[in-house]
Amino acid sequence: MEESQEVAPQEDASTSRGTDNPLPRVVLRPNTYSLLDGEWKFSLDQEDRGLREGWYLGHKYQHTANWPGSVEEHMAATTGDQAPPAWQDKVIAWYEREFTRPEKLESGGKRIYQITFGACGYETRVWLNGRLLTDVEGGDVHYGEYNSFSFEINEDHLLPVNWLTVRISHSKDAEVPRGKQESHVYKRGGIWYQTYAGAVRSVWLETVERNRLRSRVGVQSLIEDSLVRFSFTTRIQDPGQYLLKLNIYERGADDDATPLATSDYPLRLEAGQKQQYVVIEVPNAKLWSPEDPHLYKFEAQLFDNSGYASEIEGHFGLRKIEARGRHIYLNNKEIYIDGILYQPGTATYEEMRRHMYSMKELGCNLVRVHIAGIDPRIYNLADEIGLLLWVEVPSPHSSTRRSRVNHRRELLRMLALIETNPSVIIWSLYNEDWGAQDIATNPETRQYIMDIFHFMKIRYPQFLVVDNDGWQHISHEGKLKSDMLTAHLYTPKLAKWKKLLDKLTAGEMEGVAVLPLVIGDQYFYRGQTPLIVSEWGGFGFSDYGGPESSEERTERIKAFKLELRKRKIAGDVYTQATNIEEEKNGLIDFHTGELSVPAGLLSTRDYVEKPKKAPKKKKS
């Protein structure tokens, strides 16, 4: 594919087996692509004149900006400031770059071009040569800032030199999913952070087939029957008879390897998009776990009646997660969650990679990715190195019907793109009732959360689901609408820590966390649900107290972890992995990934009392 000088150097066209994934995506497509990262023209539009004045038809941009990068970084660069400037209500930015027309597509019109944004937003419009593009989902405007979206390109609309124009609008609207970025409700400071909006992930031009499998794949496994359930999404321009062929390999197998399993599925497909559920048996399959993160590769091809095929590939692991009584079971074996809270903030992909390896080195078997969108390659990395993941929907900051609509859309976007990863075992719908502040008083809020919980349990049985992490879990008719009873407990004092843990394990619903643990109908805890202390520690952050020196912090963590393991608790999540803005409580250097405490500190394998061996009988 030819490129203009501004385009990043040409990447290898194929994404063959065993190569690193160069783009922010989970499922791969062996095609040609050109990264459009690098220098773009850039202008702010705080008076919102660009649409009226038709900037997409031609505009003299005042600055340049490096894509990917946040609009805050680009604003700072235009003023020469060291720190990103704060914007009070709304920011509108325009970006534009040129690229040369790629080589003409062959294959008799069976392929088209597609422009994909790894993430951009919150509100994004895109023009090609002055023509407004409609995304694959059918919208002229893309809403959301955490997940990828694409535009199909008609080859006839490409010129010898093309210009791509992007308008990004973001606000501090509290009804928009934003995680811990500041809003009109929660102002920056303490645990609320600088916004990080705009062109935050790569953009690329690629070739795709007119009739194809989309890179949205769901995988479910029931380890008892060696069957793997796949859900594929087809996108068809030309209705007709197709054949879906699915091959399963060991991950890392040679190109000429024989599949471990293969199956064909004839399909009659109409124009548009359709999800198709298929099942394949993988005999004598090995299971995935943190101790042995065994992965398989799938290769799916969609053949038309002429034998022309589109192809996608990815990996999966067979695992089963279950909340049963007081305990959590992975592959029918009881596990204890040694977790850590992770807030990636403005970390680059390479920094996040270092963080993940360092959290593993700390002895963690789980990382709780705290209400943030991350580069999807990090999910793949967790699969490879054996780290369980607890992911959360970036929350809005107010509880309204509109915020709930936005919340549900964000959840579905996330699910569509990371449903193949065996490392993802837990989802939180809300955290500490942010975006659901009226959960205790508004039946409509509770009903929405219960409906989403039930939807998740039916549609995505491979996950555990938490309704509102930390406190104020919902009870309906005495049944908890959460797979786990979680509590956020912060105290630097060991004596108080012991009392809180005793209250929690005794089933007391009040006087444990900041707010009652359960709201709604009466809930009587008798050991029927796993207890997770899903936030604790935070030592060094002024709001939580505790030791600041590494040596003192190490000893305090050991003492607190020991008390956790003395009680009938199924897991814990220490706060937190790295420092972020005013929260100076990290155990890992944000840039280098170096630990400030001993390796293995958060593993509780050494905290559990080992059964004493019976004394040997003396020989008579």
Side-chain angles (χ1 to χ4, degrees), residues 32 36 78 98 106 118-119 144 148 194 220 245 270 272 327 338 342 346 355 357 379 419 444 495 558 565 578 594 605:
T32 57
L36 299 180
T78 63
E98 292 183 349
E106 303 297 333
S148 65
Q194 165 77 40
Q220 298 176 10
K245 187 176 188 64
E270 303 299 328
H327 306 291
D338 283 316
Y342 177 47
T346 59
H355 297 163
Y357 281 107
Y379 301 110
E419 201 189 335
E444 188 175 323
K558 286 181 178 179
R565 292 314 309 265
T578 65
E594 293 180 3
R605 282 174 292 189

Side-chain angles (χ1 to χ4, degrees), residues 289-346:
S289 69
E291 296 76 24
D292 182 15
H294 191 90
L295 294 171
Y296 293 94
K297 192 194 75 169
F298 73 85
E299 183 183 86
Q301 297 170 301
L302 186 68
F303 292 89
D304 64 17
N305 56 15
S306 72
Y308 184 80
S310 72
E311 181 178 328
I312 57 174
E313 62 182 61
H315 70 251
F316 68 95
L318 279 76
R319 65 105 181 107
K320 176 184 177 183
I321 194 73
E322 187 179 10
R324 192 192 315 159
R326 294 181 185 273
H327 306 291
I328 294 174
Y329 293 83
L330 179 65
N331 302 332
N332 294 325
K333 296 180 181 179
E334 181 188 332
I335 63 166
Y336 182 88
I337 296 297
D338 283 316
I340 191 167
L341 190 79
Y342 177 47
Q343 304 192 80
T346 59

Side-chain angles (χ1 to χ4, degrees), residues 3-15:
E3 301 170 342
S4 64
Q5 291 183 346
E6 292 86 355
V7 177
Q10 175 67 47
E11 300 283 353
D12 191 318
S14 65
T15 50

Side-chain angles (χ1 to χ4, degrees), residues 3 13 43 75 104 111 149 151 154 189 201 205 351 378 397 405 425 446 490-491 579:
E3 301 170 342
S43 280
M75 291 167 68
K104 187 171 179 61
R111 292 193 295 167
F149 55 99
F151 302 89
N154 188 327
R201 238 171 260 160
L205 175 68
E351 287 170 333
I378 294 301
H397 288 178
V405 168
I425 63 165
R446 290 199 299 277
Y490 285 107
T491 177
N579 294 341

